[in-house]
Amino acid sequence: MKPERNQASKRKIEVLIVDQEAVFRMGLRRLLMEDDLDVVGEAENITQATHLARRAKPDVIFIQAELVPAKSLDVLSKLRSASAGCKLVITAATMANGSPLQYIRAGASGMILKSVDPSLFVKCARKVMESEVWLPKHEVAQMANALGTTPVELRRPADTLTHREKMIISYLVQGWRNREIADHLSISEQTVKNHLRAVYDKVGVSDRLELVLYVIHQRVQLPPAATVTAAS
């Protein structure tokens, strides 16, 4: 049986590559030939990707932006359901392929341009497995502005966050839903909502996405996925 995902540091990170271009899939497979990474499959469309995700249960899925049109973002939820807890990273030729905002809101863990230094794909796979959101730095600033919140306005104290609140944020950054967090921590979904409202008030944000941006900007130290527990 495959080890739990929170033990990912003790085993290889398993990756699924989804892209229409065979040359890109081959190139990315070669890039990911690292001691701690293992490409468990390749797909050229969503149907193949969903089938492989159910069978191989990858930890990270790199998926081409063109295969996730703005009006069909539900395909991301389907992929995450096919491999529970997996991290989805959108690969795009240019930022014109779609806004990082829409992908993150739909459950993706980040977006990476195909034109970046190849070594960043390796780093990206590792970082999203550590529950980080992967975005180009200039995109974070643009996203903050798009939300009507400048980086300066986001610089608010985070030292008032309790350990429980940071635990909940850690799960939220990983893409967990309120119900999933509640079940894991053995608390009610309403309690999770109450905690989130308190967090929003403390750091000055209004929703989950703005909170993720806040965490990125302020480099808030969160409990690692491997050590997050239900302790009070």
Side-chain angles (χ1 to χ4, degrees):
M1 182 180 293
K2 188 173 181 178
E4 294 293 332
R5 292 189 189 280
N6 62 8
Q7 296 176 2
S9 60
K10 299 180 181 179
R11 64 174 176 81
K12 288 191 175 185
I13 298 171
E14 298 183 348
V15 181
L16 173 62
I17 302 170
V18 186
D19 199 285
Q20 295 169 308
E21 300 177 15
V23 172
F24 177 80
R25 297 198 306 269
M26 179 178 67
L28 186 53
R29 174 184 281 274
R30 290 180 176 176
L31 280 173
L32 298 176
M33 292 177 66
E34 298 282 331
D35 291 342
D36 60 334
L37 300 174
D38 182 26
V39 176
V40 295
E42 298 178 18
E44 62 181 21
N45 56 53
I46 296 300
T47 300
Q48 289 180 6
T50 303
H51 174 73
L52 284 172
R54 288 199 186 101
R55 188 180 68 188
K57 301 297 182 184
D59 301 301
V60 178
I61 301 178
F62 283 103
I63 178 170
Q64 183 182 20
E66 286 84 353
L67 294 175
V68 191
K71 295 182 180 180
S72 302
L73 292 177
D74 59 323
V75 301
L76 297 181
S77 295
K78 292 178 180 178
L79 283 173
R80 293 185 68 212
S81 297
S83 182
C86 71
K87 311 295 184 181
L88 302 175
V89 179
I90 306 300
T91 60
T94 69
M95 294 313 303
N97 287 129
S99 166
L101 281 171
Q102 65 183 2
Y103 294 123
I104 291 177
R105 281 178 170 147
S109 292
M111 184 175 190
I112 186 169
L113 294 176
K114 293 182 176 181
S115 58
V116 300
D117 185 312
S119 65
L120 290 181
F121 279 89
V122 174
K123 185 176 181 180
C124 175
R126 292 170 177 159
K127 289 298 184 180
V128 296
M129 278 303 293
E130 293 173 2
S131 302
E132 293 191 19
V133 175
W134 184 274
L135 291 170
K137 290 182 179 179
H138 68 281
E139 281 303 314
V140 174
Q142 289 180 10
M143 287 170 65
N145 288 330
L147 289 168
T149 309
T150 67
V152 172
E153 291 173 329
L154 282 171
R155 290 175 185 155
R156 302 180 182 181
D159 55 6
T160 57
L161 295 173
T162 67
H163 178 64
R164 173 53 66 89
E165 289 168 347
K166 287 183 178 180
M167 289 167 59
I168 290 176
I169 294 172
S170 184
Y171 285 119
L172 182 148
V173 169
Q174 295 177 59
W176 289 37
R177 295 180 176 83
N178 290 350
R179 168 53 58 189
E180 296 171 327
I181 297 173
D183 290 345
H184 190 74
L185 296 179
S186 299
I187 58 179
S188 70
E189 186 172 2
Q190 185 58 51
T191 298
V192 173
K193 292 179 180 178
N194 292 341
H195 279 304
L196 286 176
R197 276 199 293 269
V199 169
Y200 295 162
D201 289 341
K202 286 182 178 181
V203 302
V205 300
S206 59
D207 60 27
R208 299 164 75 96
L209 182 57
E210 288 188 11
L211 180 57
V212 170
L213 288 174
Y214 174 86
V215 169
I216 295 172
H217 273 292
Q218 298 303 305
R219 301 179 184 276
V220 178
Q221 296 298 309
L222 300 175
T227 60
V228 173
T229 67
S232 297

